Amino acid sequence: MFVRETLTKNRDTGRVYKKHQLVESLRTPKGPRQRIVMELGTLGLDKSQWKRFSSLVASRLAGKTSLFDYDPSVIRAAEAALGHYDYTKTAKQEKASRKRTSEFVPVDIHTASTSFNRSLGPELVANEFFKRLGFDEVLRGLGIEPARRSLIKAQVIGRLIAPGSDLLTHRWIKNKSALPELLEVDISGVGKDQIYEIADLLISKKEQIEAKLNKAQLNLFSKPELLLFDLTNTYLEGEGKKNALAKYGHSKEKRSDCLLVTLALVVDERGLPIYSEILEGNQYEPRALSDVLDTLDRQGGLFHGTPPSVVMDRGIATKANLDLLRARNYPYIVVERVTDTARFIDEFAQRADTFEKVDDDQDREVFVRALECDEGTKVLCFSKPRAQRDAEINKTRQLRFTDAFARLNARIQKGQLKNETKVATQLGKLATRYPSAFKNYEVIWSFESSTTPRKVTSLELKAKDSLVDKEALYGCYVITATHTEISGPEIWHLYMTLTKVEGAFRSLKSNLGLRPVFHHGTKRTKAHLFISVLSYHLLSAIEHSLRLVGDNRSWSTINETLSTHMRSTLIFTDDKDQIHHLRVSSVPEPEHKEIYDALGVKDKLPRHHR
């Protein structure tokens, strides 16, 4: 094979264009002839590289691997030419196939319309990742029959695409989505009660499902390096009298007026879920870690070799939990509690001279210093933005407390409140409302002389020395790690991946319908949260797959973009007054195709004509 160059002159402009073709010589009964193998357009290679280019393309067309090393420009040109060749070849085959199967009827264009328009784009992506994560095999392996498998897929994908209550999911499946056309069993006649029953089935097999999904996820991607553990809670609508999980507690959504239920979650450094547990709303965070490790142990050999490092925030990093991790041979990276940080106040005072700035893409101005310790390494960290935030928060708390204290003192001085016991009660309420500010002050009482019982005349605040110490530690925190083989900045970066689990909670609450919970029973509440977690398996796998190809779009963006790719029924009348119904998918727009190509998703739904 060789490259042939031909020149074409534009008669109007007089401009000369170059065109290249890949040509091969053939022996025929009429003598030697040349055959064009492929059109190359304008080949952007130096003429000295044409021979190498021809050799490489010939080898690739023959399905052989060349033994020669080629210049990168030659390789790129060959790959571009072969890609265009394959595209042209496929287009010709499709054209020939269309000619063989074509069916023509005269159409009255005035009768053309569409009906039964349903969203298809997000469903195609979700269905593909449902398969890749092995959901179908997991459910089949648990002995769940096809009809119920289809219902489970509809619920999990429905929560991903159109999050809401089970009733809203039922309406979405029937009225808005093309998902039923992707299921192995027709569920168009399913009622909402069957949706509830499927939720009960899912929660009854929760641990088996998660164990199998974890193994499938590891096969699809790779073993995680970190386990990021945290808890969140969400609130219930209603009284929850029959719900054993419903408890009052500290709401992370500032809804302490409602009954709460807690979700414990472990994700890896990529945001992929590993473990979940639904707990009582007032669950004390440190107690949950043993349940996590017990479940991972029961899954048996999930992590071969050295287990991943456990990363936790200070709320869970109690001495008992750290002892538990060491006993089970889990390395860890945790933040110490504020009271422990104060032990290093002298080292923090010298940070300008002894700390190293962390190389951070977000330029968060963080400085660290690593110290050896019995556990491994302690990393002293100072963050300028965090110091500013701590100062602002503390200033706000101090002002609110001192304002409330001044109002109390004014009532005392006006004689509206004098009884010592009642004053003490009001002071106790202030201590409860503003605990962090109250402990920084000493309260000095003044009484009327020679009165029984004593009457209070005024109160005065005196700042304790600890207030000054606290200001010296603004922006300071200490990370403790069992690792000694990595540097302080590397340990800091590993700890900061904890934001992945915070991101998971945001996705669950904002994109996957975790809140609020409308169910009254314990089992249905657990099922509601578990379905959101299963949907998060799909969401995290989709987003991670996009990141692997350099696309950082979130699922919410993907969902919105693909929502305009539809499945519709075309209705038209022919010249014999016969009405035709043609069920087809719309042609993907460039934005749709870009996403499908990045994720390797194809629309395989056939056309239906009746």
Side-chain angles (χ1 to χ4, degrees):
M1 290 186 186
F2 61 93
V3 175
R4 180 170 65 194
E5 181 179 271
T6 58
L7 302 179
T8 304
K9 185 176 182 179
N10 187 306
R11 292 182 180 179
D12 296 330
T13 63
R15 186 174 178 181
V16 177
Y17 295 91
K18 291 181 180 180
K19 184 177 75 171
H20 298 95
Q21 299 168 322
L22 188 66
V23 180
E24 67 176 349
S25 298
L26 300 173
R27 291 185 179 275
T28 70
K30 296 181 179 181
R33 295 288 186 273
Q34 292 180 351
R35 182 178 73 88
I36 298 172
V37 178
M38 65 175 71
E39 297 286 349
L40 301 174
T42 301
L43 185 62
L45 277 179
D46 187 86
K47 197 168 185 176
S48 62
Q49 299 280 16
W50 287 4
K51 188 174 182 180
R52 285 293 184 94
F53 169 82
S54 303
S55 172
L56 179 56
V57 173
S59 298
R60 296 283 181 89
L61 288 174
K64 298 177 182 178
T65 302
S66 176
L67 299 177
F68 299 101
D69 292 328
Y70 290 94
D71 186 271
S73 61
V74 174
I75 295 173
R76 286 194 298 270
E79 289 177 347
L82 288 166
H84 180 72
Y85 176 77
D86 289 339
Y87 173 79
T88 305
K89 185 178 178 181
T90 302
K92 287 180 179 178
Q93 291 172 345
E94 289 177 351
K95 185 176 181 180
S97 176
R98 284 198 303 273
K99 285 185 177 180
R100 288 194 303 271
T101 60
S102 60
E103 180 181 355
F104 296 97
V105 294
V107 175
D108 180 358
I109 61 173
H110 295 290
T111 65
S113 62
T114 66
S115 70
F116 207 64
N117 302 301
R118 298 291 185 265
S119 165
L120 175 64
E123 287 83 347
L124 287 175
V125 172
N127 182 64
E128 177 64 27
F129 277 84
F130 198 91
K131 293 177 182 176
R132 290 186 195 177
L133 287 173
F135 269 94
D136 290 318
E137 289 76 12
V138 168
L139 300 176
R140 194 177 293 110
L142 293 172
I144 299 175
E145 61 272 21
R148 288 190 167 188
R149 289 202 301 268
S150 295
L151 274 172
I152 289 171
K153 178 186 280 192
Q155 267 210 297
V156 173
I157 292 179
R159 187 68 62 85
L160 174 70
I161 298 173
S165 64
D166 292 336
L167 179 59
L168 290 176
T169 299
H170 176 254
R171 291 173 180 168
W172 173 80
I173 293 170
K174 291 192 68 174
N175 304 322
K176 296 183 178 181
S177 176
L179 180 62
E181 298 178 63
L182 296 168
L183 304 176
E184 57 182 317
V185 174
D186 181 17
I187 62 168
S188 57
V190 168
K192 65 180 188 311
D193 290 339
Q194 290 168 285
I195 296 287
Y196 291 136
E197 291 170 5
I198 286 299
D200 294 341
L201 173 64
L202 275 174
I203 197 63
S204 69
K205 298 182 180 295
K206 175 182 179 297
E207 189 168 325
Q208 301 101 300
I209 290 173
E210 281 196 321
K212 292 178 181 295
L213 279 179
N214 281 338
K215 291 180 180 177
Q217 195 167 263
L218 288 175
N219 291 333
L220 183 61
F221 297 114
S222 60
K223 176 184 171 182
E225 296 179 3
L226 303 175
L227 298 180
L228 316 173
F229 177 47
D230 206 350
L231 284 81
T232 192
N233 52 38
T234 189
Y235 60 95
L236 281 71
E237 293 285 359
E239 298 180 356
K241 291 181 178 179
K242 298 180 181 180
N243 196 330
L245 296 173
K247 305 289 182 182
Y248 286 104
H250 174 67
S251 171
K252 298 189 176 182
E253 299 164 318
K254 303 187 185 301
R255 289 302 306 267
S256 297
D257 58 314
C258 299
L259 289 163
L260 307 174
V261 61
T262 297
L263 173 68
L265 188 67
V266 176
V267 303
D268 67 15
E269 69 276 9
R270 300 160 295 193
L272 302 173
I274 303 294
Y275 163 93
S276 70
E277 189 64 54
I278 296 102
L279 307 165
E280 293 179 354
N282 60 352
Q283 176 69 42
Y284 177 50
E285 289 184 334
R287 291 207 323 255
L289 180 62
S290 60
D291 296 335
V292 175
L293 300 182
D294 288 342
T295 302
L296 294 179
D297 287 346
R298 282 197 299 273
Q299 291 184 6
L302 184 62
F303 308 121
H304 299 290
T306 304
S309 296
V310 177
V311 183
M312 302 182 300
D313 216 338
R314 59 169 57 94
I316 314 172
T318 61
K319 182 179 183 304
N321 276 342
L322 299 186
D323 290 342
L324 178 65
L325 289 171
R326 284 193 291 269
R328 300 207 184 185
N329 297 316
Y330 277 91
Y332 58 80
I333 301 170
V334 301
V335 164
E336 291 192 356
R337 300 187 170 216
V338 176
T339 52
D340 297 325
T341 303
R343 292 183 291 121
F344 299 95
I345 190 168
D346 292 337
E347 285 81 357
F348 279 116
Q350 302 169 15
R351 58 178 174 261
D353 301 321
T354 61
F355 280 45
E356 170 188 2
K357 186 175 181 180
V358 173
D359 184 14
D360 178 30
D361 292 340
Q362 300 182 35
D363 195 24
R364 282 174 279 204
E365 291 191 278
V366 177
F367 301 83
V368 300
R369 178 185 174 190
L371 303 174
E372 292 184 5
C373 66
D374 293 338
E375 295 164 282
T377 305
K378 287 191 183 294
V379 181
L380 311 188
C381 308
F382 170 72
S383 165
K384 283 188 176 180
R386 185 166 177 166
Q388 294 170 355
R389 187 173 68 250
D390 288 349
E392 290 170 1
I393 290 172
N394 190 62
K395 182 180 178 180
T396 301
R397 288 174 178 170
Q398 298 291 337
L399 285 174
R400 288 176 180 173
F401 168 66
T402 53
D403 286 349
F405 182 86
R407 290 194 297 271
L408 173 62
N409 199 26
R411 291 176 59 198
I412 295 171
Q413 291 176 349
K414 290 178 182 180
Q416 296 173 349
L417 185 64
K418 289 189 174 184
N419 184 279
E420 182 179 3
T421 302
K422 291 183 178 179
V423 171
T425 300
Q426 293 301 315
L427 204 57
K429 289 181 179 180
L430 290 183
T432 302
R433 189 176 302 169
Y434 308 103
S436 60
F438 186 85
K439 66 184 179 182
N440 292 320
Y441 295 95
E442 178 185 352
V443 180
I444 301 173
W445 296 62
S446 297
F447 299 93
E448 288 185 5
S449 58
S450 66
T451 57
T452 305
R454 295 192 300 177
K455 294 182 179 180
V456 184
T457 58
S458 67
L459 299 175
E460 181 184 350
L461 287 179
K462 181 181 178 183
K464 296 179 180 177
D465 293 338
S466 60
L467 181 60
V468 178
D469 293 342
K470 187 172 184 178
E471 291 176 355
L473 291 172
Y474 285 166
C476 300
Y477 54 99
V478 178
I479 300 174
T480 301
T482 53
H483 298 273
T484 57
E485 75 284 4
I486 54 180
S487 67
E490 289 173 316
I491 290 173
W492 181 86
H493 277 292
L494 290 175
Y495 171 74
M496 291 306 295
T497 58
L498 199 59
T499 56
K500 291 289 185 181
V501 73
E502 295 168 359
F505 288 143
R506 284 194 298 272
S507 293
L508 284 161
K509 292 178 179 181
S510 301
N511 301 322
L512 300 175
L514 187 73
R515 64 179 178 187
V517 179
F518 293 98
H519 297 288
H520 298 289
T522 303
K523 193 173 183 180
R524 291 278 165 85
T525 297
K526 284 187 173 183
H528 173 82
L529 269 66
F530 184 49
I531 290 171
S532 290
V533 171
L534 291 178
S535 297
Y536 181 68
H537 274 271
L538 297 177
L539 182 150
S540 59
I542 292 167
E543 290 188 343
H544 180 61
S545 297
L546 284 172
R547 288 195 296 272
L548 290 176
V549 295
D551 191 329
N552 292 316
R553 279 178 285 194
S554 66
W555 165 249
S556 59
T557 301
I558 298 299
N559 193 11
E560 181 181 0
T561 302
L562 293 179
S563 64
T564 53
H565 186 203
M566 308 294 286
R567 182 84 169 163
S568 302
T569 298
L570 303 180
I571 305 173
F572 55 87
T573 304
D574 65 15
D575 60 337
K576 297 178 182 179
D577 278 341
Q578 289 185 326
I579 299 175
H580 297 261
H581 293 79
L582 186 62
R583 188 69 175 161
V584 296
S585 303
S586 65
V587 177
E589 296 171 16
E591 269 194 308
H592 304 155
K593 195 173 185 306
E594 181 184 355
I595 295 170
Y596 294 146
D597 289 345
L599 293 172
V601 174
K602 293 185 178 180
D603 177 11
K604 297 181 181 179
L605 283 174
R607 293 175 174 229
H608 296 295
H609 181 209
R610 61 178 176 84

